[in-house]
Amino acid sequence: LVHVAGDEAKIVQTVGGTVESVLAEAGIQVGPHDVVTPSLSEYVGPDTEIEIVRAVPIRVTVDGGEREHWVVAATVAEALGEIGIELGPMDRVTPGKGTDVTPDMSVQVVRVTEEFIEETETLPFKVIRWAAPELEQGQTQVIREGQEGIIKKTVRVVYEDGKPVNRTIVASEVVQPVIDRIIGEGTRPPALYVDTPHGRYAYVEVMEMVATGYDPGPASTGEWSDGLTFTGLKAQRGVVAVDPTVIPLGTRLYIEGYGEGIAADIGGAIKGNRIDLCFDTYEEAIQWGRRTVKVYILAD
């Protein structure tokens, strides 16, 4: 009994000999890649069954090359095993491994691997502008230095035939936080300068005001002639009475024709753009009289 895979079984009567001679006598050709059981060199006996599995050609593309192979396997997976192609756990086979083998079919094996790598990413810091009233306009100062942030990432990289085809971040961790840089920008108006008989003074504002004079004695201050000003300073040359809504108390001044002064006193008649200058004597105050002068608000 001779059975050829895919064909009907055929009974062959013979007086003996090898499997090869029996097949030749029966006119059954065997290809070089066909699998014959028992082997062609074995002798047949009574009731010997001979089975022939026909090999078919397939083309396999794997590891950068394409080759033709003759196989007798029933499925793609069996064919690859027969050829000696080992598959990794992630390898992709087209058509699928369970597909039936057919003559001249094409099989493609894509080697798929993965690795996990550590990467770091640098995050830039921002520059924040901050108003700095202690600085003049146009001046800048670094209030706080910036620091770049650092993120550590674990990346899964998938390769197909040695080429990366997919990257996925599977974990990330901030190992250094971002610290923004702060730059102070001056908001104070720049100081101007005036040259006087007493020297050069830096000022931020100049006003035209009506200036009168007084002395600490009763001739000028009447019942309030205790020698002290509203702020508690001793009344003497250089003390100036002002309207605090116009010139804040404690402001350093330079008064045209008078010299340096400090806004340290007030007066009932001193309102708006009026000031009252303290002199050491009544005669000096009378001699000053009433004048319109330039009053410079000095820079600190």
Side-chain angles (χ1 to χ4, degrees):
L1 179 65
V2 180
H3 181 269
V4 180
D7 296 336
E8 292 184 0
K10 182 177 182 181
I11 298 176
V12 178
Q13 292 182 346
T14 179
V15 294
T18 63
V19 171
E20 184 177 13
S21 64
V22 170
L23 294 178
E25 183 179 343
I28 299 174
Q29 294 184 343
V30 178
H33 303 288
D34 295 343
V35 174
V36 181
T37 306
S39 65
L40 294 175
S41 61
E42 289 193 26
Y43 285 90
V44 299
D47 301 322
T48 298
E49 293 185 7
I50 301 173
E51 184 174 358
I52 301 174
V53 180
R54 297 296 190 186
V56 296
I58 63 171
R59 301 199 66 81
V60 179
T61 301
V62 64
D63 298 330
E66 182 184 54
R67 292 185 61 185
E68 184 179 75
H69 299 272
W70 287 80
V71 296
V72 296
T75 65
V76 169
E78 294 171 354
L80 295 176
E82 182 180 331
I83 296 168
I85 297 174
E86 295 184 1
L87 296 177
M90 299 178 63
D91 290 347
R92 189 172 67 251
V93 180
T94 306
K97 291 184 286 185
T99 304
D100 292 337
V101 172
T102 58
D104 299 315
M105 75 183 308
S106 293
V107 178
Q108 182 180 27
V109 177
V110 177
R111 300 297 192 186
V112 182
T113 57
E114 67 177 1
E115 70 171 336
F116 293 88
I117 60 176
E118 299 289 338
E119 294 181 349
T120 58
E121 178 184 356
T122 301
L123 302 177
F125 59 80
K126 297 191 293 292
V127 177
I128 298 175
R129 304 291 177 177
W130 193 270
E134 70 276 9
L135 300 177
E136 286 189 2
Q137 293 176 0
Q139 292 182 327
T140 60
Q141 181 180 16
V142 177
I143 298 176
R144 185 179 71 189
E145 288 292 354
Q147 173 182 276
E148 293 180 329
I150 299 176
I151 295 180
K152 183 173 70 174
K153 299 178 180 179
T154 301
V155 182
R156 175 179 179 262
V157 183
V158 177
Y159 299 87
E160 292 186 357
D161 289 334
K163 297 179 180 179
V165 295
N166 182 263
R167 292 169 53 90
T168 306
I169 298 173
V170 296
S172 64
E173 176 189 4
V174 176
V175 296
Q176 180 170 291
V178 174
I179 298 178
D180 293 330
R181 190 181 195 206
I182 299 178
I183 302 294
E185 294 189 338
T187 59
R188 189 181 69 194
L192 303 173
Y193 295 91
V194 58
D195 292 314
T196 75
H198 302 88
R200 168 174 276 198
Y201 290 91
Y203 69 94
V204 295
E205 185 180 358
V206 60
M207 296 182 287
E208 194 169 84
M209 308 188 79
V210 175
T212 54
Y214 76 100
D215 78 298
S220 294
T221 58
E223 58 182 300
W224 294 283
S225 60
D226 59 0
L228 297 178
T229 66
F230 176 78
T231 60
L233 292 180
K234 180 181 178 181
Q236 59 186 350
R237 184 180 179 86
V239 171
V240 181
V242 298
D243 181 348
T245 64
V246 178
I247 298 177
L249 291 171
T251 302
R252 292 178 56 244
L253 308 169
Y254 180 83
I255 300 95
E256 183 180 36
Y258 177 78
E260 288 188 55
I262 184 168
D265 204 2
I266 61 174
I270 307 304
K271 302 296 180 184
N273 278 20
R274 285 199 57 188
I275 57 174
D276 206 9
L277 310 177
C278 187
F279 290 89
D280 292 329
T281 66
Y282 178 75
E283 289 73 22
E284 289 177 299
I286 292 300
Q287 184 177 1
W288 175 268
R290 179 188 182 97
R291 307 182 191 180
T292 299
V293 297
K294 290 182 179 179
V295 178
Y296 295 88
I297 308 298
L298 299 183
D300 292 337

